[in-house]
């Protein structure tokens, strides 16, 4: 029997409701969640550690997810990281393309369903994924 590797996920978001929900969610699954509530600290954590997935909020006060991405791109190859950006705003295709050129894997409109989150983190529990397909639970709130 193979044991799946515990996923290490960094969440950078200023909304503590999201941190609390994701912490409960990660405790139920094979996920180690590191929660950061501001962009500058998020940048430091990204540069000093390795993560399987980085969940980054687009809009944060003071130092946004965009600021973080631009500064990160000056220091490392962002395309080698698994960064998924979440936003409650409607973005035009040009803006999304610009983020992808910076190295963001996917831009996802909030709210996000738990099933999609499991797929992004690549949780290897097919029963769990099927269970989430049957329920309609939204994890992320608006900005």
């Amino acid at each position: 029997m193979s044991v799946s590797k515990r996923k290490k996920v960094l969440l950078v978001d200023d909304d503590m409701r999201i941190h609390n929900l994701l912490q409960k969610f990660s405790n139920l699954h094979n996920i180690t969640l590191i929660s950061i509530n501001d962009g500058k600290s998020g940048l430091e954590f990204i540069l000093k550690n390795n993560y399987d997935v980085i969940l980054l909020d687009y809009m944060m006060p003071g130092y946004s997810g965009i600021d973080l991405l631009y500064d990160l791109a000056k220091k490392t190859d962002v395309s080698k990281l698994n960064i998924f950006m979440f936003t409650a705003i409607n973005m035009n295709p040009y803006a999304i393309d610009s983020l992808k050129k910076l190295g963001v894997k996917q831009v996802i409109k909030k709210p996000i369903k738990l099933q999609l989150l499991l797929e992004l983190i690549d949780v290897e529990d097919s029963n769990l994924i099927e269970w989430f397909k049957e329920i309609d639970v939204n994890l992320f709130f608006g900005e």
Side-chain angles (χ1 to χ4, degrees), residues 39-40 43 56-58 60-74 85 99 102:
K40 287 194 181 207
L43 177 62
L56 178 60
D57 187 22
Y58 180 83
M60 292 181 282
Y63 190 83
S64 70
I66 296 296
D67 296 326
L68 184 153
L69 280 174
Y70 282 125
D71 287 346
L72 185 61
K74 293 175 189 172
M85 184 165 269
L99 291 171
L102 271 175

Side-chain angles (χ1 to χ4, degrees), residues 72-88:
L72 185 61
K74 293 175 189 172
K75 300 173 190 264
T76 191
D77 183 357
V78 176
S79 68
K80 292 184 178 179
L81 305 172
N82 286 320
I83 298 178
F84 297 92
M85 184 165 269
F86 298 105
T87 182

Side-chain angles (χ1 to χ4, degrees), residues 8-26:
K8 188 175 177 185
V9 175
L10 176 67
L11 170 65
V12 183
D13 196 308
D14 62 311
D15 189 336
M16 292 313 295
R17 298 174 301 173
I18 293 171
H19 287 270
N20 293 335
L21 283 170
L22 258 178
Q23 192 63 55
K24 291 174 185 173
F25 174 79
S26 64

